[in-house]
Structure formats: C-alpha cells, structure tokens
Amino acid sequence: MSHEAALHEGHGHDDHGHHEHHDTFLTKYVFSQDHKMIAKQFLITGMVWAVLGGLMSVLFRLQLGYPDASFPWLESILGKWAKGGQITPEAYYALVTTHGTVLVFFVLTAGLSGTFANFLIPLQVGARDMASPFLNMLSYWFFFIASIIMLSSLFVETGPFSGGWTAYPPLSALHDASPGSKTGMDLWIIAMALFVVSSLLGGLNYITTILNMRTKGMSMTRLPLTIWALFFTAVLGVLSFPVLLSGMILLIFDRNFGTSFYLSDIYVNGVGALSNEGGSAILFQHLFWFLGHPEVYIILLPAMGMVSEIMSVNSRKPIFGYMAMLGSLFAIAILAFLVWAHHMFVTGLNPLLGSVFVLLTLLIAVPSAIKVFNWLTTLWRGNIRFTPAMLFAIGFVSLFISGGLTGIWLGNAALDIYLHDSYFVVAHFHIVMGVASMFGMFAGVYHWFPKMYGRYLNNSLGYIHFWITMAGAYLIFWPMHYQGLAGMPRRYFDFSIWESFKQFAELNRFISTIAMIVFATQILFLINFFYSIFKGRKVTVLNPWESNTLEWTTPIRPGHGNWPGEIPEVHRWPYDYGKDGHDFIPQTTPVGEDETGTH
Amino acid sequence: MATTIIESKNKIHPYKMLLWVGLGSIVMMFAGLTSAYIVKKSQANWLEFELPKLFYISTLVILISSFTIQMAVKKAKAGELAQYRGFLSVTAILGLAFVILQVRGFQALEASNVALTGARSNSAGSFLLVITGLHLLHLVGGVIALVVISLRSAAAKSSSNQVLPVELAATYWHFVDLLWIYLFVFLNWVG
Ligand code: HEM
Ligand SMILES: [Cu+2]
C-alpha cells in the first residue's frame, strides 16, 4: 500500500528536520520563528493565565458563597485585599474585572487562536511555515509583554482596573472613579493595546498563509473545517480589533488630555460637576461592542472548527454537510458585525433600531442551528471512538445548544430589558462562550498533543477531567439562570443583605463549592499535560488517530519546515472516512479509477 | 528557511497580501473613528469650524508624493539606481513636509481658539486632532520605511532585490495618501 510506504519513509527522516538548522536554545525555544514552537508558547502562556484567571474566580466565588465567613489564611496570602480574612469590595471588583479580561482576551483569544491557528494552519494547508515567521514571532512577543503588563497591574498600590472587562466610562475614564481607575487602568489600556497589536499581527499571517501558501491540490474547498474556522476568526479579528483600538485611543485622550469624547458634565461625589461637556459614554459602548460581539465569535469559531474535525475523525464518517458548515460559518461571520447593539438594549436605543437588532440577532440562530444539526448528523450511526478529545467535542455541542437557546431569550429586547445585567446573562455567556470554547480548546489539546509533543496524554486522567468538568459546568451555571430570572443582578459583592436574595444563600454556597471542585480538576489536567510532555507514552505511528489531514504526514516530531522532503500534494477533501470500504483515505492519496463521487 | 518558505507558486507575493490585509484593518480603524464622528456630530455641543488652509497645501503635497514614489518603483524596475534613490528621497522629503504642514495646521487651529484638548476643548476639535493625528502617525511610519529602504538601496549593487520593498512601500504610501483624501473630504464636507 502506498501510504504504508510513505509511513516508513517518514520514519527514516524523523530526526532529519532537527539537524537541518543550527538553532541555539534561544532561537529554538525563546525567539523561535517556527510556527509550532510559537503555538506552544501561546498555549503555555494561555494556560498560565487560565490558572490565574480561574484562581481569581475561586476567590470571588468564595466571597459569594460565604459572605459572612472569615478566612484568616486569605489575609496572609492577599494582604490588604483580604482584610480580616474577607475579600474587600475593591478586591472583589478587581478580581471580577481581571478574571473577565484575562479569560476573554488572554486565554480564549490569544491562548486559543494563538495556539491552534499557529499550530494547525501551516501543517494542515501544507506550508513550511507562516507567510511571515518574523511577524509571527512578534505576535507572540507583543502578547507576552501585554501579559507582563497586565500581570504587573495586579501589584500596583491602588490595585488593577476594577470597572468590568467591558471597561465602560466613566469608571474607565475618570482617574478618581475608583482605586482601580488610576494606575491599574493605565496598565490595563497599555496591555490591551499591545494585545490588539499581537492579535492583528497574528491575524494577518493566518489569513495570508491560508490564502496564499497552500500546497499543490489544496483548493479552498479541500481545506479542513478547522482551517476555515480559523480563517473566519482571523478575518473577524483583523476587522474588529482596530475599532476597539480606536475606542481605546479616545479613552486615553479623555483620561489624559481632558477631552470630552465620553465624559460630560456629570456630578462626581467629592469632586463636583466635571468641566467636560457633551461627551457620551454610550459612544464607547458602540465602539466596544462593535468589537465585543465579533470577539465572542473570535473565541467560539476556532472551537467550532476543531470540534468539526475531531467529530468527523472519531465518528469515522465524513462531516455532514461540509458546504453547509462553510456557509454557516460565513453567515455567522457576517452577522457577527451586525448585532452589536443587542448588548445595549437598555441604553435608550431608538426602539425601531432596537427591533432591527433584535431581528438580526435572532437570525444568528439559523446558521447556529445548521451547525448543531450537522454535528449531530455526523455522529449519527458513526463508529464513534470516545477519546477524551471526542468527549470534549460532544460536550461542546451540548453546551453550545444550551447557551445558544438562552441567547435567543436575550436577543428579544423586551425580555432583555428585564434580564440584562442579571445572572441570566452570566449563565448564558459562560455556557455558550466560556465553557464551550474551553471545551473546544481541551478537545484540541487532547487531539493534537501527540503531534505537538510526540507523546500521548493519559486517557484515564482525560476521562476524569472530562466528566467532572462537564457535570461541574452545568451544576455551576444552570442554577444561575434561575437566579437571574429571580432578578439577581451580576457584579454585586454581597447578596446577603437583601431580603429577596437570602433564599439563594445556600445555592450560592453550592455553586461556589462546585466551582472549587472543577478548578481542582483542572489541576489534574495540568499535571497530565506537563507530565506527558516528558513522560507520556511515546507516539510510534505517524497517524495515531487514522486521520486524513496533512499534519499526520509529517514526521512524528517534525522539525522547522515540517516536511523533510517535498511538501505532499493533495488529491481530495479531508473527510473521506468510511468510503468505498476504506476506513479512511488520506488527502494525499490520489483518486482511484473506480472511486465513487469525489470531492 | 526564508527561501524555502516562499517556494510555492503564488500569484501574489505573500508579503503583498500581508500588507493588503493589514491595510484592511487600518481602514476599519478609521471607519470606526469617522462613524463615531458622525454619531457625535448629530448630538448637542458640536462646534462648527473651518479646516485650516494649510491642510489644502498638505493635500497637494501628498498627492505629488504619490506620483514620485510611483516613479521610484518604475526606476527600480528599470534598474536605474541613481534615479530610483532620487525619487525615494524626494518622496520622503515630501512626506516630512506633509508632517510639518499638518502640525502647523493644528497650531493654527489652536491659535484661532479651537481648543483640541483640555478643559475648553470641544469634541469636534478633539476628533479632528485624533483622526488626523492617527493618520499622521501612519504616514510617519511610511516615511521611516522609505528612509530604511533608501539606506539599504545605497548599499545595494543591483536593483533586483529592491523591487519588492519599494513596491510594498509604494502600496502603503498610496494607501496613506488615499486615506488622507478620504479624511479630508469627510472632515470638510461629509461629516
Ligand atoms: C443564538 C445565538 C445568540 C444570541 C441570540 C445571543 C444574544 C445575546 C444577548 C442579547 C446578550 C446581551 C445580554 C445582556 O447583556 O443583557 C448576550 C450576551 C452575551 N453573549 Fe450571547 N447570544 C448568542 C450566542 C452567543 C455566543 C455563541 C457567544 C459566544 C461564543 C455569546 C457570548 C455572549 C457574551 C460574552 C455576552 C455577555 C457580555 C457581557 O455583558 O459581559 N453569545 N448574548
Ligand atoms: Cu453579542
């Protein structure tokens, strides 16, 4: 068999790639221009942030679950942030804000796109590296510096920014609005600006590499869905992040140069009326959400792409409705730019305009439903292999359905006016974006870990990780829907002082407890990850998942340049599973004479 | 590595595509700002004022510079190195002239009591400063690129490896020029 032969070829060349270049430690691991190493840098930095951000949520859940208790050990760790063993209100807001910022941007954008776009694009389109490996390296280093600055904001005297991840003025525009609005906010803006530059540099490369660097035979409709999803993600990022940047520049002017873009003659306690005139805080919301809504899809689409790929491979069936998957990705990408005001239904939006945004928002349900239908049909009668990656992929679909449905509730302005800024919204976006994308990321890591490190992750730990996280995610966020429906507002420090929310004291404690268990379970994953890099079972075959895509035609541990010899040519789409009696037919296999319908 | 990476048979050079996509994102930034401008203008407290006359001159200067950089590309392709360098330098100098004219324009505005920043400022003036200032920063980036290319070309013996850099620079330069025309028209008549 020809691809058997190719398999042995690859083995012979396994170490070849390593010796070609004379990399020093510094150029190989630190200032690397190899997309695979840059991917790992993004992944590990993202993981560090995920742990920190997760830890923050444990801390503020501790406050919500046990508002009256005092934990002396907290004070010994956090010092003045936990006076008397209780998180202070200032610290609570700082934690919530940093948690949101870090998870949305540093973990689920940089950590997710940065990792998988870098790792998979050249490997799956058949390129030796990105269009500009140098810009790619810069993209990581901008992210790294952004990370350091964001991290340092945790240690300044007045604390990090604490006005929420959306950074609405006036909290973000006035130095005196809160302690976190001083140096903390300056550092937040600088870190975010650098982060935006990092995303842009990454995005330019991803788009160009996909459009321009594909191997022979790799037409656009033969691209794996991962690549399509990463492509749309990059397009969304390149078109929406600059708008956030422009909004932040105006914010910098208001903060530092006395302009009145967002500030007006509002009355500030202890200061009196401001001298600013005519500014509009809502202008910021428009600029923010014009990025903000595409951003949620920037977070979600890579997960969707990987889930599609992993589901097809592990169902041993072609993805159902490839073109429909593409079309719905396209529709989602377009609609993502046309719905931002659904975050602003309570800003006094013109009701007519509001209805237009309701309509456009609800339209997103159509492509979303198409995707769900196609995933389920891909599973239908498949020869399913329940690898941890597959479980996380299926978990993703479940979460996407649950969270998508509540999106339809929120998309109705009339309902949203009641539900806005309540725990219902918190439940919605954590399920549909936070946890779902995290699941996509886990699926990706479990699936491509053998390609990244030449070793396997431990499966048993993977199963434990999945089941506890899956059950935990629903146990944490499902009850929040009820709390939101009962009117419980988000971003409050202590609910125990309201008679009407006293009934939730026990539920809050329950949620907090589960949150801690789920967080602890993630440590299990970290142990599995780092242990397996060094001690995991070695990969001995080129194509452990018997997958059709090109990354599995590289040596087990590919060097810089990916393929020791020629880049393979592609002859078919990536989803020929269970076709004509073959379990799978790699993209590199030429189309046979007697083959039925080819792509 | 760099040579092997660009081995495939692309119709358009990857760096050119990188640049085009990058220009798309710059467009979005200014689209965001000019949309914000329109929204803001329709609200209360909007100060009407005339653009400084100097902006008309700077518009003329940047238009000419687009022509000179196109000549530089032509000369680079024809291998006429001395003239190529000449046109590059002229373009860079015109770029600097544009910068000076714009800054003078801001000063003229301030002098005629249109505060751009500070407590007396109106967002009309502040918008003008931010939008044209950001454009100016992009142009300065272009000037720096031109200077780097000129210095490199001074060391080069043949023009064969000069063509791509100057083509990239020219694309960017025309873009910054067009962007200014758009902003000029927008700020003068549309917004
Ligand atoms: C059918 C699909 C969806 C609809 C109709 C929808 C609708 C909405 C609406 C109307 C809100 C505003 C709620 C409020 O603040 O009052 C909202 C919030 C949010 N949605 Fe969705 N959504 C959908 C899917 C998604 C997806 C797929 C994601 C992410 C991957 C997402 C992420 C978010 C986030 C992060 C927020 C809250 C942001 C914040 O205020 O902090 N949504 N959604
Ligand atoms: Cu949204």
Side-chain angles (χ1 to χ4, degrees):
Chain A
M1 248 188 86
S2 66
H3 88 255
E4 198 85 317
L7 234 117
H8 291 295
E9 267 265 342
H11 267 300
H13 283 284
D14 192 0
D15 281 336
H16 193 70
H18 285 291
H19 298 301
E20 267 180 341
H21 320 284
H22 302 281
D23 284 328
T24 61
F25 179 82
L26 219 56
T27 57
K28 179 153 186 224
Y29 295 106
V30 186
F31 298 106
S32 174
Q33 297 195 19
D34 181 351
H35 70 102
K36 299 186 291 301
M37 183 56 68
I38 296 173
K40 291 174 194 173
Q41 292 173 331
F42 270 110
L43 178 59
I44 291 183
T45 316
M47 282 165 71
V48 170
W49 275 120
V51 171
L52 288 175
L55 206 59
M56 289 172 193
S57 68
V58 167
L59 288 174
F60 62 69
R61 273 314 316 186
L62 204 63
Q63 160 61 25
L64 291 175
Y66 303 89
D68 308 319
S70 157
F71 306 95
W73 52 269
L74 264 184
E75 187 168 4
S76 56
I77 304 173
L78 297 177
K80 69 175 191 315
W81 284 25
K83 274 230 165 62
Q86 210 186 7
I87 309 261
T88 62
E90 290 79 16
Y92 179 88
Y93 287 114
L95 287 170
V96 174
T97 302
T98 318
H99 164 82
T101 308
V102 155
L103 273 126
V104 167
F105 294 109
F106 288 18
V107 179
L108 290 175
T109 304
L112 182 61
S113 274
T115 302
F116 289 100
N118 266 307
F119 193 73
L120 292 177
I121 290 175
L123 282 174
Q124 288 196 333
V125 307
R128 299 227 177 259
D129 206 312
M130 289 287 178
S132 169
F134 177 72
L135 286 189
N136 208 26
M137 175 182 78
L138 278 190
S139 158
Y140 174 73
W141 286 103
F142 270 102
F143 172 49
F144 184 81
I145 300 170
S147 293
I148 297 289
I149 292 175
M150 190 63 84
L151 193 65
S152 69
S153 82
L154 297 178
F155 299 99
V156 297
E157 178 70 31
T158 43
F161 180 53
S162 43
W165 76 281
T166 51
Y168 285 174
L171 283 183
S172 57
L174 283 176
H175 285 87
D176 295 325
S178 76
S181 304
K182 298 187 200 320
T183 321
M185 185 56 192
D186 289 328
L187 294 173
W188 191 94
I189 296 188
I190 298 169
M192 284 303 298
L194 292 170
F195 168 84
V196 168
V197 174
S198 157
S199 298
L200 289 175
L201 290 176
L204 300 183
N205 247 324
Y206 308 153
I207 293 172
T208 307
T209 309
I210 293 171
L211 290 181
N212 213 355
M213 314 280 287
R214 301 187 311 276
T215 185
K216 199 158 175 236
M218 183 65 90
S219 59
M220 290 301 276
T221 47
R222 284 181 181 164
L223 285 174
L225 286 172
T226 29
I227 301 300
W228 269 110
L230 290 166
F231 176 74
F232 283 118
T233 305
V235 171
L236 288 179
V238 160
L239 296 182
S240 65
F241 272 118
V243 179
L244 174 69
L245 197 60
S246 65
M248 288 192 341
I249 289 167
L250 301 185
L251 188 58
I252 292 173
F253 268 78
D254 270 10
R255 280 175 69 74
N256 301 314
F257 304 114
T259 53
S260 303
F261 293 114
Y262 307 133
L263 290 173
S264 52
D265 47 356
I266 50 175
Y267 181 84
V268 179
N269 222 349
V271 177
L274 299 180
S275 62
N276 300 68
E277 261 180 51
S280 152
I282 290 173
L283 176 63
F284 180 85
Q285 295 198 21
H286 280 294
L287 292 172
F288 181 88
W289 285 114
F290 186 84
L291 157 92
H293 187 84
E295 167 66 11
V296 306
Y297 282 97
I298 290 172
I299 288 175
L300 196 71
L301 294 189
M304 285 182 160
M306 293 194 286
V307 163
S308 305
E309 175 69 18
I310 291 168
M311 281 213 160
S312 176
V313 171
N314 289 299
S315 307
R316 314 308 294 160
K317 273 183 64 191
I319 189 81
F320 187 89
Y322 178 87
M323 285 318 270
M325 284 305 225
L326 274 191
S328 53
L329 276 176
F330 184 67
I332 287 176
I334 300 278
L335 286 171
F337 282 110
L338 304 175
V339 299
W340 78 91
H342 66 212
H343 297 274
M344 301 168 59
F345 283 142
V346 297
T347 55
L349 205 64
N350 179 331
L352 183 67
L353 200 59
S355 327
V356 174
F357 276 105
V358 169
L359 180 72
L360 290 165
T361 297
L362 296 185
L363 271 180
I364 301 190
V366 177
S368 305
I370 292 176
K371 297 201 86 75
V372 168
F373 177 81
N374 286 359
W375 284 318
L376 297 182
T377 357
T378 303
L379 289 176
W380 178 250
R381 297 192 147 183
N383 226 334
I384 301 178
R385 300 189 302 209
F386 289 103
T387 61
M390 181 64 162
L391 287 176
F392 274 106
I394 297 172
F396 170 92
V397 177
S398 158
L399 291 158
F400 181 63
I401 296 173
S402 310
L405 287 175
T406 52
I408 297 175
W409 290 42
L410 293 170
N412 289 286
L415 269 175
D416 185 64
I417 287 168
Y418 175 68
L419 291 172
H420 178 68
D421 260 350
S422 77
Y423 264 76
F424 193 90
V425 177
V426 176
H428 160 67
F429 75 77
H430 276 90
I431 288 185
V432 76
M433 177 181 78
V435 191
S437 278
M438 208 53 125
F439 269 44
M441 189 158 164
F442 283 134
V445 170
Y446 279 101
H447 192 77
W448 279 288
F449 190 87
K451 191 74 255 166
M452 288 182 170
Y453 294 102
R455 293 174 187 269
Y456 294 100
L457 283 166
N458 179 296
N459 262 358
S460 313
L461 287 180
Y463 291 131
I464 299 173
H465 178 216
F466 169 75
W467 283 111
I468 298 182
T469 311
M470 181 77 196
Y474 273 115
L475 288 175
I476 293 169
F477 294 113
W478 197 266
M480 288 187 190
H481 292 106
Y482 299 102
Q483 295 182 322
L485 286 171
M488 209 168 105
R490 69 194 280 203
R491 291 179 173 151
Y492 275 35
F493 166 69
D494 182 354
F495 292 98
S496 63
I497 49 176
W498 280 280
E499 202 53 51
S500 50
F501 301 133
K502 280 216 170 99
Q503 49 166 331
F504 290 127
E506 210 162 320
L507 187 55
N508 274 333
R509 208 147 46 237
F510 170 79
I511 293 176
S512 296
T513 314
I514 303 287
M516 286 170 217
I517 295 174
V518 171
F519 181 76
T521 310
Q522 309 314 306
I523 309 278
L524 207 63
F525 168 74
L526 288 180
I527 294 173
N528 191 358
F529 185 88
F530 287 105
Y531 179 85
S532 302
I533 290 181
F534 301 104
K535 293 279 165 63
R537 190 161 55 87
K538 276 198 171 161
V539 176
T540 51
V541 291
L542 277 188
N543 191 355
W545 311 129
E546 304 181 303
S547 163
N548 290 340
T549 39
L550 281 183
E551 73 271 31
W552 305 104
T553 62
T554 60
I556 291 176
R557 285 165 175 274
H560 196 176
N562 296 340
W563 287 269
E566 294 265 294
I567 301 180
E569 194 180 331
V570 164
H571 299 280
R572 58 178 73 237
W573 78 328
Y575 296 110
D576 274 337
Y577 292 102
K579 182 178 184 227
D580 293 342
H582 295 284
D583 181 37
F584 69 112
I585 314 177
Q587 284 190 279
T588 48
T589 309
V591 177
E593 304 252 298
D594 50 348
E595 219 170 294
T596 55
T598 54
H599 273 270
Chain B
M1 200 76 263
T3 48
T4 45
I5 286 166
I6 307 166
E7 70 191 6
S8 42
K9 19 45 304 298
N10 321 302
K11 283 191 213 77
I12 162 172
H13 192 285
Y15 288 179
K16 288 191 184 165
M17 187 175 274
L18 273 174
L19 180 62
W20 278 103
V21 182
L23 297 183
S25 84
I26 300 177
V27 165
M28 285 307 289
M29 179 164 171
F30 284 91
L33 286 168
T34 44
S35 316
Y37 183 98
I38 293 176
V39 172
K40 229 21 230 300
K41 187 178 173 154
S42 63
Q43 293 169 356
N45 289 78
W46 187 262
L47 181 74
E48 295 284 352
F49 59 86
E50 296 265 300
L51 286 188
K53 289 285 168 282
L54 284 165
F55 281 10
Y56 289 84
I57 307 179
S58 60
T59 307
L60 195 66
V61 168
I62 201 172
L63 275 173
I64 298 172
S65 73
S66 252
F67 171 73
T68 56
I69 198 161
Q70 202 49 42
M71 287 306 289
V73 174
K74 205 171 152 195
K75 296 298 173 191
K77 281 185 177 160
E80 297 166 25
L81 272 186
Q83 283 169 319
Y84 156 63
R85 269 174 226 136
F87 277 114
L88 267 190
S89 313
V90 171
T91 312
I93 290 167
L94 288 173
L96 284 178
F98 181 85
V99 175
I100 294 168
L101 287 167
Q102 296 289 91
V103 174
R104 283 293 177 82
F106 294 143
Q107 287 166 345
L109 272 181
E110 289 269 8
S112 64
N113 266 332
V114 181
L116 306 180
T117 58
R120 288 183 310 113
S121 66
N122 180 283
S123 41
S126 308
F127 259 118
L128 183 75
L129 176 69
V130 170
I131 294 177
T132 52
L134 276 173
H135 171 265
L136 203 58
L137 278 183
H138 284 83
L139 184 121
V140 169
V143 172
I144 294 174
L146 286 182
V147 171
V148 171
I149 294 175
S150 301
L151 291 179
R152 284 230 197 127
S153 82
K157 302 222 164 36
S158 84
S159 67
S160 62
N161 54 356
Q162 297 289 316
V163 176
L164 180 66
V166 74
E167 277 185 337
L168 291 171
T171 306
Y172 182 74
W173 197 265
H174 293 319
F175 168 77
V176 176
D177 182 355
L178 267 180
L179 182 60
W180 173 252
I181 307 287
Y182 160 69
L183 292 176
F184 188 64
V185 170
F186 176 86
L187 294 168
N188 238 338
W189 295 288
V190 186

